[in-house]
Amino acid sequence: MSLQHALLTSLIEKPSSGYELARRFDKSIGYFWHASHQQIYRELARMEAQAWVISREVDGGRAGKRLFEVLPTGQQELRRWAREPSEALQLRDEMMVKLRADASLGPLGLPEELQRRLQLHQEKLCAYQKIEARDFKQPKLNREQQIHYLILKAGIAFEQSQISWTQDALQTLRQLATD
C-alpha cells in the first residue's frame, strides 16, 4: 500500500486541508499506516500533480490554507489499487533478531525492553477499547461503521496477541535467568 492510497481514502471520507488531514490521519489510519506530516504534504503535492486531487484556497482561513478534494481520476486510482491482490502481513520486528542474539550470546538484558514494549501495547489496547466503547456500542451500525469496527477489532486482536506473546517472552526469559 502506498501512502497516496491511504490519503485518497481519508480525503474521500472528508475533504480536508493538509493540516486537518494530518491530524485526522494520526487519529485513524495512522494506527496502522504511519506517516509524518511532511510526508503527507509531499504526497498531497504529488497527487495534485497526478490530477488525483485538487486543492483550493479556503476563504476565511489563514493565508495559504488549502482544501484538498479527490477528483474522479483519484477515485479511479483508488478503485484500481483496491482490486490488486495484497500481500499477507510480513513480520519485521527487531525484537525477534535481538532474541536470537540473546539465544546465541547469552543474556542481553532484554526483559527491560520487553517490559517497555508490553506497556506500549497495553496503552494502545486501552486506546482502542476506548474508541470501541465510544463509537461502536450502538445496537445498529451502518455499513461504514461496521467496516470501521472490523478494522478496529483487528487492532484490538493484534494488541491482545502482542501483550500475550510479550508476557510469555518475559516469563520465559525470567525463568531462564533462574535456571
Side-chain angles (χ1 to χ4, degrees):
M1 177 171 97
S2 77
L3 177 55
Q4 290 180 340
H5 297 104
L7 294 174
L8 283 170
T9 299
S10 193
L11 286 172
I12 285 173
E13 292 173 348
K14 181 179 180 185
S16 305
S17 70
Y19 177 75
E20 293 164 344
L21 179 62
R23 290 198 59 197
R24 281 188 28 247
F25 199 86
D26 288 344
K27 295 177 182 177
S28 60
I29 292 175
Y31 281 116
F32 53 88
W33 190 266
H34 176 73
S36 71
H37 290 204
Q38 295 86 350
Q39 288 173 304
I40 290 171
Y41 283 105
R42 255 192 325 268
E43 291 304 321
L44 285 171
R46 287 184 185 130
M47 291 163 52
E48 193 162 25
Q50 293 169 297
W52 292 354
V53 299
I54 190 167
S55 69
R56 61 178 167 78
E57 194 158 333
V58 177
D59 294 332
R62 65 167 172 73
K65 181 177 179 180
R66 306 196 65 73
L67 182 73
F68 290 85
E69 296 182 71
V70 178
L71 292 168
T73 52
Q75 291 179 10
Q76 289 171 351
E77 169 55 23
L78 190 56
R79 282 186 174 91
R80 182 207 61 75
W81 170 80
R83 288 186 198 105
E84 288 182 349
S86 56
E87 296 296 321
L89 178 65
Q90 298 287 325
L91 180 61
R92 182 178 172 182
D93 187 345
E94 287 181 8
M95 181 54 69
M96 301 307 122
V97 178
K98 290 178 180 184
L99 283 167
R100 290 194 59 125
D102 185 277
S104 297
L105 297 173
L108 298 174
L110 296 180
E112 288 177 6
E113 174 61 9
L114 285 165
Q115 190 63 49
R116 184 189 71 80
R117 288 170 55 123
L118 177 61
Q119 178 69 32
L120 294 173
H121 288 297
Q122 290 169 332
E123 289 170 4
K124 190 164 274 188
L125 176 61
C126 183
Y128 287 164
Q129 289 171 329
K130 285 179 182 176
I131 293 168
E132 180 181 38
R134 182 191 70 212
D135 296 346
F136 299 106
K137 288 305 174 190
Q138 55 274 49
K140 183 82 169 132
L141 300 174
N142 65 32
R143 181 181 189 281
E144 181 180 10
Q145 290 168 324
Q146 287 181 47
I147 293 171
H148 286 184
Y149 191 27
L150 185 63
I151 296 164
L152 179 64
K153 288 191 288 187
I156 289 170
F158 175 80
E159 295 305 330
Q160 289 171 332
S161 169
Q162 289 300 299
I163 289 167
S164 177
W165 179 87
T166 304
Q167 289 169 333
D168 185 35
L170 278 165
Q171 181 180 356
T172 299
L173 290 179
R174 288 178 179 144
Q175 181 62 43
L176 289 170
T178 63
D179 289 346

